Amino acid sequence: FAELVRQASALPWERFLRKRGRVAFRVTCRKSRLYHSGAVAERLHAALESRARFAVPLAQGAGEEAPADAQLFLARFEHDLCTVSVDSSGALLHQRGWRGPQAKAPLRETLAAALLLGAGFTGEQPICDPLCGSGTIAIEAALIAIRQAPGIARSFAFQRWPEFSARQWEHLTVAARKHERPLPARIEAGDQDAGAVAATSENAARAGVEIAVIQRRLADLPPDPGGGLMACNLPYGVRIAADARILFEELAAAAHRRPAWRVAIVAASARGASGLRLTTLLRTKSGGIPIEMLVSA
Ligand SMILES: C[S@@+](CC[C@H](N)C(=O)[O-])C[C@H]1O[C@@H](n2cnc3c(N)ncnc32)[C@H](O)[C@@H]1O
């Protein structure tokens, strides 16, 4: 511990502290003599205060994300080597700043964007999410299509660092806004649930994007002779596996009515999707549940 405190006291903590702000630590220890993460966090906090020369209150309970008014530091002890990093984001990066009402089981914005980009979506082609929930996929598609910089509408932890230059940030965001363009193609979102439709409309308004939102069952999705991308996420969870099978069948039928449209989906499993001829793009987790991203050729 003495060596940890000695070396940590030389770190330039003050560059990341706000006057009267709190700090939080998230520590992991692996294969190291110092294995008690709480005790390591305590020593790092002491080192920080000794370097700053003023008391810095500690915020408790830094889970995935620190409290909004606290600067989060992360320390990873591995094989007796401690790496300290500073969280520059604040709220998790999937939070772009547009989300208001949530429907059931919303997809993280970053996963929606990954699905779209992985499917080769550039914004020029129409998009339809027939199972839109709170509208995440349609809204992220619109933001990609208008070329809005991700997260431009939110704030970041680094904006509270003493060296942060509001002028420079303004300069960068104005430059990023210059790349934006009007929506080139139609974006449509549908859901059978009235609450989901209302949530999508409100979220789209908050994001400042134009989306056609329709209350409709997937089975009623009309044919379309043009091309486009049908992108959606199926409800996942063990309880609803049977429902997912029916939805896969309905999606295959919808894709049949739109032969020039490609399909991109997020689902807990591709089982039941044989009618769609999908290939796996990515396997990851969403809310702790393993999921697959699948696209048609
Ligand atoms: C997993 S949620 C989608 C979540 C959405 N991607 C989001 O981020 O909020 C699935 C949605 O499909 C809708 N849904 C389920 N079966 C449907 C059907 N047969 N037709 C239309 N919508 C349906 C549900 O109402 C629910 O909002």
Side-chain angles (χ1 to χ4, degrees):
F1 280 119
E3 181 63 8
L4 173 68
V5 172
R6 194 183 65 76
Q7 292 207 30
S9 301
L11 294 174
W13 302 95
E14 68 283 357
R15 288 179 54 196
F16 311 105
L17 299 178
R18 265 186 316 162
K19 278 263 151 63
R20 289 181 291 280
R22 299 190 295 165
V23 289
F25 290 89
R26 195 159 76 225
V27 179
T28 52
C29 303
R30 258 190 82 233
K31 300 194 172 149
S32 299
R33 275 168 290 167
L34 298 186
Y35 56 84
H36 190 304
S37 53
V40 170
E42 232 170 66
R43 300 315 195 283
L44 291 175
H45 183 221
L48 176 153
E49 286 191 319
S50 90
R51 166 90 185 194
R53 295 177 195 278
F54 54 84
V56 185
L58 192 62
Q60 292 303 330
E64 215 183 350
E65 178 173 273
D69 67 330
Q71 173 60 57
L72 176 65
F73 293 96
L74 303 105
R76 206 172 60 230
F77 242 115
E78 219 156 307
H79 298 282
D80 291 324
L81 182 71
C82 182
T83 309
V84 180
S85 357
V86 191
D87 172 40
S88 60
S89 305
L92 297 177
L93 280 176
H94 70 87
Q95 297 174 32
R96 316 272 211 212
W98 58 255
R99 191 180 288 285
Q102 311 247 11
K104 272 176 269 166
L107 189 66
R108 279 194 174 188
E109 294 82 331
T110 36
L111 288 179
L115 175 73
L116 293 161
L117 296 173
F121 177 69
T122 55
E124 270 73 27
Q125 60 273 59
I127 279 259
C128 170
D129 177 354
L131 308 171
C132 69
S134 52
T136 316
I137 294 174
I139 292 169
E140 286 298 318
L143 295 174
I144 291 170
I146 66 169
R147 297 189 175 147
Q148 185 171 110
I152 199 163
R154 57 165 272 169
S155 61
F156 297 89
F158 66 77
Q159 290 175 275
R160 302 192 305 241
W161 294 349
E163 287 171 25
F164 172 74
S165 159
R167 246 185 85 211
Q168 200 175 357
W169 181 243
E170 165 84 7
H171 183 74
L172 287 169
T173 49
V174 167
R177 290 273 187 207
K178 283 202 181 120
H179 289 291
E180 291 183 12
R181 62 176 181 176
L183 200 59
R186 177 178 163 88
I187 299 193
E188 190 182 289
D191 200 292
Q192 65 185 9
D193 182 74
V197 166
T200 296
S201 300
E202 190 176 331
N203 281 327
R206 291 169 63 95
V209 291
E210 216 176 293
I211 289 172
V213 191
I214 300 164
Q215 186 175 359
R216 181 176 57 203
R217 289 168 52 234
L218 172 58
D220 297 330
L221 189 74
D224 185 318
L229 179 67
M230 199 164 8
C232 58
N233 93 283
L234 270 66
Y236 25 78
V238 181
R239 296 172 280 115
I240 41 187
D243 298 349
R245 227 179 349 261
I246 295 167
L247 281 176
F248 269 131
E249 282 167 19
E250 290 188 359
L251 262 179
H256 195 69
R257 294 193 293 279
R258 296 186 168 199
W261 282 59
R262 294 176 62 232
V263 178
I265 62 171
V266 178
S269 142
R271 250 181 301 144
S274 52
L276 283 162
R277 294 173 191 218
L278 303 170
T279 53
T280 300
L281 198 64
L282 179 74
R283 286 193 177 89
T284 181
K285 284 190 173 177
S286 172
I289 300 171
I291 55 160
E292 281 188 49
M293 290 188 186
L294 304 137
V295 286
S296 63

